[in-house]
Amino acid sequence: QVQLVQSGAEVKKPGASVKVSCKASGYTFTSYGISWVRQAPGQGLEWMGWISAYNGNTNYAQKLQGRVTMTTDTSTSTAYMELRSLRSDDTAVYYCARDVSSSWGAFDIWGQGTMVTVSS
Amino acid sequence: QSALTQPRSVSGSPGQSVTISCTGTSSDVGGYNYVSWYQQHPGKAPKLMIYDVSKRPSGVPDRFSGSKSGNTASLTISGLQAEDEADYYCCSYAGSYTPVFGGGTKLTVL
């Protein structure tokens, strides 16, 4: 079946970096974009950015510009999100999600989420 | 972009209908027919319920419907069921390849 499986929980110190993976299966990876969305504890959803699995083009949320990098490895159908210079307010569940083709801001398949905790 | 405005909570009894609003501006909700809605149960990933304002993905019951008027989009759930109790988020395209989410609405089934 179509699914996205993410890497496990991470605990990081302030100032460190984290890299979360998202492995796709059950569909042609390069035919869809992947977005990353995060959710701080008890808070709402925040779109972080998008990457085309076809050509690697990216678009990042303005507030994360310079700290986030999204990449893909088409040989393993895996997307990655790296966040640098971590702060306590980066503590959140990070989701990858597949974009609905021919739409914008619609995500039809979600990963299970990766908890990233930033604490000294 | 600022988050879209949703009521913090709504409630309804089983069998009733409820509507959740999502208010934006002419730069997002009002400017594009790209509004989506997500259902999220505690500890779970969001689930797409509506996209492109009113389209339902395969497998989503037709009790869920979406609409838009001006800068406000709405999700209506008819024939409320206990399993509909969840958080609901709207999302709209806001131009420049950027989507924006609403703050979320907690639906309680009484």
Side-chain angles (χ1 to χ4, degrees):
Chain A
Q1 73 279 25
V2 176
Q3 61 178 354
L4 299 172
V5 178
Q6 299 182 222
S7 49
E10 304 263 12
V11 179
K12 297 291 183 181
K13 294 194 181 304
S17 299
V18 68
K19 191 170 187 177
V20 179
S21 68
C22 169
K23 184 172 175 60
S25 61
Y27 72 95
T28 302
F29 181 65
T30 52
S31 294
Y32 296 83
I34 293 284
S35 285
W36 290 85
V37 176
R38 69 179 180 178
Q39 186 171 35
Q43 302 301 309
L45 302 173
E46 178 186 14
W47 179 80
M48 300 178 66
W50 163 89
I51 183 166
S52 165
Y54 174 71
N55 59 17
N57 286 349
T58 56
N59 188 52
Y60 302 135
Q62 196 168 9
K63 68 176 285 188
L64 296 174
Q65 290 273 2
R67 287 208 299 139
V68 68
T69 301
M70 296 175 187
T71 57
T72 59
D73 181 346
T74 56
S75 68
T76 60
S77 299
T78 302
Y80 298 91
M81 185 284 299
E82 181 180 32
L83 189 61
R84 300 176 293 278
S85 302
L86 289 168
R87 310 186 290 246
S88 58
D89 62 357
D90 291 318
T91 293
V93 176
Y94 288 75
Y95 295 101
C96 60
R98 189 181 79 167
D99 290 355
V100 172
S101 59
S102 75
S103 186
W104 287 101
F107 317 112
D108 61 349
I109 304 296
W110 291 67
Q112 82 277 20
T114 297
M115 182 71 214
V116 175
T117 302
V118 183
S119 174
S120 55
Chain B
Q1 288 85 0
S2 300
L4 308 175
T5 300
Q6 298 181 233
R8 291 189 68 93
S9 64
V10 298
S11 63
S13 299
Q16 288 186 332
S17 293
V18 295
T19 296
I20 300 171
S21 62
C22 170
T23 301
T25 69
S26 57
S27 296
D28 38 62
V29 175
Y32 307 95
N33 288 321
Y34 292 125
V35 176
S36 53
W37 289 90
Y38 300 87
Q39 176 192 67
Q40 186 179 35
H41 288 109
K44 300 295 188 182
K47 176 185 177 183
L48 180 65
M49 306 302 284
I50 297 287
Y51 69 102
D52 292 357
V53 177
S54 60
K55 296 178 181 177
R56 259 188 324 274
S58 173
V60 172
D62 60 6
R63 302 185 295 104
F64 292 84
S65 62
S67 62
K68 189 186 85 166
S69 177
N71 296 337
T72 298
S74 299
L75 173 71
T76 298
I77 309 170
S78 58
L80 262 182
Q81 300 181 2
E83 60 261 35
D84 298 334
E85 184 162 297
D87 293 327
Y88 290 83
Y89 293 91
C90 63
C91 181
S92 174
Y93 182 61
S96 302
Y97 308 101
T98 299
V100 59
F101 283 98
T105 297
K106 180 176 179 58
L107 169 62
T108 300
V109 180
L110 302 170

